[in-house]
PDB file of all heavy atoms in Angstrom:
ATOM      1  N   VAL A  10       3.820  10.532  -6.745  1.00 96.00           N
ATOM      2  CA  VAL A  10       4.688  10.889  -7.877  1.00 96.00           C
ATOM      3  C   VAL A  10       3.906  11.250  -9.114  1.00 96.00           C
ATOM      4  O   VAL A  10       4.129  12.174  -9.819  1.00 96.00           O
ATOM      5  CB  VAL A  10       5.704   9.781  -8.183  1.00 96.00           C
ATOM      6  CG1 VAL A  10       6.463   9.977  -9.557  1.00 96.00           C
ATOM      7  CG2 VAL A  10       6.663   9.640  -7.073  1.00 96.00           C
ATOM      8  N   ALA A  11       2.816  10.500  -9.335  1.00 96.00           N
ATOM      9  CA  ALA A  11       1.936  10.760 -10.479  1.00 96.00           C
ATOM     10  C   ALA A  11       1.325  12.148 -10.367  1.00 96.00           C
ATOM     11  O   ALA A  11       1.243  12.947 -11.318  1.00 96.00           O
ATOM     12  CB  ALA A  11       0.819   9.690 -10.628  1.00 96.00           C
ATOM     13  N   ALA A  12       0.847  12.452  -9.150  1.00 97.00           N
ATOM     14  CA  ALA A  12       0.259  13.835  -8.922  1.00 97.00           C
ATOM     15  C   ALA A  12       1.327  14.897  -9.144  1.00 97.00           C
ATOM     16  O   ALA A  12       1.010  15.914  -9.771  1.00 97.00           O
ATOM     17  CB  ALA A  12      -0.289  13.893  -7.486  1.00 97.00           C
ATOM     18  N   TYR A  13       2.500  14.617  -8.661  1.00 97.00           N
ATOM     19  CA  TYR A  13       3.623  15.626  -8.845  1.00 97.00           C
ATOM     20  C   TYR A  13       3.866  15.814 -10.404  1.00 97.00           C
ATOM     21  O   TYR A  13       3.910  16.968 -10.888  1.00 97.00           O
ATOM     22  CB  TYR A  13       4.862  15.133  -8.271  1.00 97.00           C
ATOM     23  CG  TYR A  13       6.094  16.039  -8.477  1.00 97.00           C
ATOM     24  CD1 TYR A  13       6.231  17.200  -7.805  1.00 97.00           C
ATOM     25  CD2 TYR A  13       6.931  15.708  -9.531  1.00 97.00           C
ATOM     26  CE1 TYR A  13       7.320  17.996  -8.052  1.00 97.00           C
ATOM     27  CE2 TYR A  13       8.017  16.533  -9.806  1.00 97.00           C
ATOM     28  CZ  TYR A  13       8.224  17.647  -9.051  1.00 97.00           C
ATOM     29  OH  TYR A  13       9.279  18.525  -9.365  1.00 97.00           O
ATOM     30  N   LEU A  14       3.966  14.693 -11.118  1.00 96.00           N
ATOM     31  CA  LEU A  14       4.221  14.840 -12.560  1.00 96.00           C
ATOM     32  C   LEU A  14       3.086  15.572 -13.294  1.00 96.00           C
ATOM     33  O   LEU A  14       3.315  16.361 -14.119  1.00 96.00           O
ATOM     34  CB  LEU A  14       4.387  13.379 -13.169  1.00 96.00           C
ATOM     35  CG  LEU A  14       5.688  12.668 -12.723  1.00 96.00           C
ATOM     36  CD1 LEU A  14       5.573  11.252 -13.090  1.00 96.00           C
ATOM     37  CD2 LEU A  14       6.941  13.303 -13.354  1.00 96.00           C
ATOM     38  N   LEU A  15       1.931  15.203 -12.909  1.00 96.00           N
ATOM     39  CA  LEU A  15       0.693  15.936 -13.579  1.00 96.00           C
ATOM     40  C   LEU A  15       0.731  17.425 -13.257  1.00 96.00           C
ATOM     41  O   LEU A  15       0.416  18.176 -14.155  1.00 96.00           O
ATOM     42  CB  LEU A  15      -0.617  15.209 -13.079  1.00 96.00           C
ATOM     43  CG  LEU A  15      -0.807  13.865 -13.639  1.00 96.00           C
ATOM     44  CD1 LEU A  15      -1.981  13.168 -12.888  1.00 96.00           C
ATOM     45  CD2 LEU A  15      -1.110  13.859 -15.107  1.00 96.00           C
ATOM     46  N   THR A  16       1.076  17.783 -12.028  1.00 96.00           N
ATOM     47  CA  THR A  16       1.060  19.206 -11.773  1.00 96.00           C
ATOM     48  C   THR A  16       2.174  19.929 -12.553  1.00 96.00           C
ATOM     49  O   THR A  16       2.100  21.127 -12.842  1.00 96.00           O
ATOM     50  CB  THR A  16       1.279  19.543 -10.241  1.00 96.00           C
ATOM     51  OG1 THR A  16       2.497  18.950  -9.769  1.00 96.00           O
ATOM     52  CG2 THR A  16       0.053  18.983  -9.469  1.00 96.00           C
ATOM     53  N   GLN A  17       3.266  19.208 -12.853  1.00 94.00           N
ATOM     54  CA  GLN A  17       4.346  19.766 -13.574  1.00 94.00           C
ATOM     55  C   GLN A  17       4.077  19.900 -15.091  1.00 94.00           C
ATOM     56  O   GLN A  17       4.455  20.892 -15.744  1.00 94.00           O
ATOM     57  CB  GLN A  17       5.624  18.945 -13.424  1.00 94.00           C
ATOM     58  CG  GLN A  17       6.131  18.823 -12.023  1.00 94.00           C
ATOM     59  CD  GLN A  17       6.403  20.164 -11.340  1.00 94.00           C
ATOM     60  OE1 GLN A  17       7.185  21.002 -11.790  1.00 94.00           O
ATOM     61  NE2 GLN A  17       5.660  20.429 -10.340  1.00 94.00           N
ATOM     62  N   LYS A  18       3.317  18.926 -15.618  1.00 94.00           N
ATOM     63  CA  LYS A  18       3.084  18.847 -17.066  1.00 94.00           C
ATOM     64  C   LYS A  18       1.710  19.496 -17.447  1.00 94.00           C
ATOM     65  O   LYS A  18       1.558  19.898 -18.558  1.00 94.00           O
ATOM     66  CB  LYS A  18       3.063  17.421 -17.567  1.00 94.00           C
ATOM     67  CG  LYS A  18       4.419  16.765 -17.412  1.00 94.00           C
ATOM     68  CD  LYS A  18       5.621  17.510 -18.030  1.00 94.00           C
ATOM     69  CE  LYS A  18       5.520  17.487 -19.529  1.00 94.00           C
ATOM     70  NZ  LYS A  18       6.666  18.217 -20.142  1.00 94.00           N
ATOM     71  N   LEU A  19       0.805  19.556 -16.526  1.00 93.00           N
ATOM     72  CA  LEU A  19      -0.531  20.093 -16.838  1.00 93.00           C
ATOM     73  C   LEU A  19      -0.904  21.242 -15.948  1.00 93.00           C
ATOM     74  O   LEU A  19      -1.806  21.238 -15.262  1.00 93.00           O
ATOM     75  CB  LEU A  19      -1.646  18.914 -16.676  1.00 93.00           C
ATOM     76  CG  LEU A  19      -1.359  17.630 -17.396  1.00 93.00           C
ATOM     77  CD1 LEU A  19      -2.423  16.635 -17.014  1.00 93.00           C
ATOM     78  CD2 LEU A  19      -1.422  17.874 -18.896  1.00 93.00           C
ATOM     79  N   GLU A  20      -0.123  22.321 -16.180  1.00 92.00           N
ATOM     80  CA  GLU A  20      -0.228  23.405 -15.286  1.00 92.00           C
ATOM     81  C   GLU A  20      -1.587  24.136 -15.356  1.00 92.00           C
ATOM     82  O   GLU A  20      -1.986  24.816 -14.489  1.00 92.00           O
ATOM     83  CB  GLU A  20       0.908  24.409 -15.610  1.00 92.00           C
ATOM     84  CG  GLU A  20       2.300  23.854 -15.260  1.00 92.00           C
ATOM     85  CD  GLU A  20       3.418  24.817 -15.709  1.00 92.00           C
ATOM     86  OE1 GLU A  20       3.120  25.872 -16.287  1.00 92.00           O
ATOM     87  OE2 GLU A  20       4.592  24.456 -15.467  1.00 92.00           O
ATOM     88  N   ASP A  21      -2.290  23.985 -16.489  1.00 95.00           N
ATOM     89  CA  ASP A  21      -3.585  24.666 -16.631  1.00 95.00           C
ATOM     90  C   ASP A  21      -4.716  23.821 -16.130  1.00 95.00           C
ATOM     91  O   ASP A  21      -5.839  24.229 -16.141  1.00 95.00           O
ATOM     92  CB  ASP A  21      -3.834  24.981 -18.112  1.00 95.00           C
ATOM     93  CG  ASP A  21      -2.789  26.034 -18.651  1.00 95.00           C
ATOM     94  OD1 ASP A  21      -2.286  26.780 -17.834  1.00 95.00           O
ATOM     95  OD2 ASP A  21      -2.517  26.083 -19.832  1.00 95.00           O
ATOM     96  N   VAL A  22      -4.420  22.578 -15.713  1.00 97.00           N
ATOM     97  CA  VAL A  22      -5.524  21.744 -15.307  1.00 97.00           C
ATOM     98  C   VAL A  22      -5.704  21.964 -13.743  1.00 97.00           C
ATOM     99  O   VAL A  22      -4.787  21.963 -12.952  1.00 97.00           O
ATOM    100  CB  VAL A  22      -5.098  20.255 -15.474  1.00 97.00           C
ATOM    101  CG1 VAL A  22      -6.178  19.272 -14.945  1.00 97.00           C
ATOM    102  CG2 VAL A  22      -4.996  19.960 -17.010  1.00 97.00           C
ATOM    103  N   PRO A  23      -6.949  22.132 -13.399  1.00 97.00           N
ATOM    104  CA  PRO A  23      -7.233  22.464 -11.938  1.00 97.00           C
ATOM    105  C   PRO A  23      -6.795  21.239 -11.034  1.00 97.00           C
ATOM    106  O   PRO A  23      -6.835  20.097 -11.454  1.00 97.00           O
ATOM    107  CB  PRO A  23      -8.778  22.564 -11.861  1.00 97.00           C
ATOM    108  CG  PRO A  23      -9.188  22.794 -13.252  1.00 97.00           C
ATOM    109  CD  PRO A  23      -8.189  22.211 -14.232  1.00 97.00           C
TER     110      PRO A  23
END
Side-chain angles (χ1 to χ4, degrees):
V10 169
Y13 175 82
L14 291 167
L15 289 168
T16 61
Q17 299 305 298
K18 296 307 289 182
L19 304 176
E20 295 174 359
D21 295 335
V22 175

